[in-house]
Amino acid sequence: MELQTTVFNIAIITVVVAFLIIFTSKKVDYADPMAKPSMFVTVIVSLVTMILNTAKASLGEEKAKMLTPYILVLWMYIFLSNISGLFGIESPTSNFSVTILLSFITWVLIQITIFRYSGVKAYFKSFFEPIPVMLPMNIMGKFSTMLSMAMRLFGNITCGSIMMQLVYMGTQNLSKAIVGLFGASSNFNFMAPIMAPLLHIYFDLFAGFIQTLVFVTLTIILIGNEIPDTEKN
């Protein structure tokens, strides 16, 4: 059985994320609290504090502290996956199996939160509200969040990947046409380094960051919506 290339790409991103977690943890843990912090430690602490404060607004302090490590790992994994095209690696998030798994984890956390604060009886009772005939619609609605999050991330990253492939095909043909004007022939795509960098910045860096922000923000908000206000305060 032949493994898909995406499996190796997923493994590479996973190893990179694991290395970054271990590296940053060591740097922060062994930093001298009595000395002036290095720029690296300052940036990491500021980033963690910013995400923790953002999560507090929707989840409350206790749940924010509990979920912030997961949110940080989610941030790192999705963002690195989205920008992996810059390093010649096909983005794992352009594979629907990956995005549906990430969405499933968020969906499970939402269901656990509902169980925790509404109870099992109220959870299953909600499938028959406001009237029993709404059961099929309520079941579809329960899973629609997971599917929409997975489709949004998969669709946007795949679209960016296809656009960049078209850019390279177009610049390849343009390079051949220019060389042909001088009566020569060459497969060297010299137009790509001129036109591709700015498009990489948009489709990989900008779109990759925005899609990471959207996925993580939805995760925080959707979980927070199931937590009573009294628990958040």
Side-chain angles (χ1 to χ4, degrees), residues 123-137:
Y123 179 85
F124 288 106
K125 186 182 177 182
S126 67
F127 285 97
F128 301 94
E129 292 177 343
I131 54 178
V133 75
M134 294 297 292
L135 176 63
M137 296 296 292

Side-chain angles (χ1 to χ4, degrees), residues 199-210:
L199 295 171
H200 270 301
I201 290 174
Y202 177 78
F203 287 114
D204 291 318
L205 282 178
F206 179 73
F209 175 78
I210 292 297

Side-chain angles (χ1 to χ4, degrees), residues 13-22 24-25 47-48 51-52 64 66-82 93 98 102 105-106 109 153 212 215-216 219-220:
I13 297 298
T14 304
V15 170
V16 171
V17 169
F19 171 78
L20 289 175
I21 291 172
I22 295 171
T24 52
S25 298
L47 180 64
V48 173
I51 293 179
L52 178 62
M66 187 185 302
L67 285 174
T68 292
Y70 167 69
I71 293 167
L72 283 166
V73 173
L74 193 63
W75 247 109
M76 293 172 64
Y77 187 84
I78 295 178
F79 184 65
L80 288 175
S81 296
N82 290 349
T93 42
V98 174
L102 294 173
I105 295 171
T106 292
L109 290 174
L153 181 59
T212 304
F215 194 97
V216 173
T219 296
I220 295 172

Side-chain angles (χ1 to χ4, degrees), residues 1-20:
M1 184 176 64
E2 184 178 354
L3 289 176
Q4 295 181 0
T5 307
T6 309
V7 175
F8 295 102
N9 298 339
I10 294 170
I12 291 171
I13 297 298
T14 304
V15 170
V16 171
V17 169
F19 171 78
L20 289 175

Side-chain angles (χ1 to χ4, degrees), residues 23 81 92 97 113 127 187 224:
F23 179 75
S81 296
S97 300
T113 306
F127 285 97
N187 289 323

Side-chain angles (χ1 to χ4, degrees), residues 24-42:
T24 52
S25 298
K26 294 285 185 185
K27 282 286 185 183
V28 174
D29 288 345
Y30 290 105
D32 185 356
M34 303 304 293
K36 182 181 178 181
S38 65
M39 180 63 73
F40 180 79
V41 172
T42 302

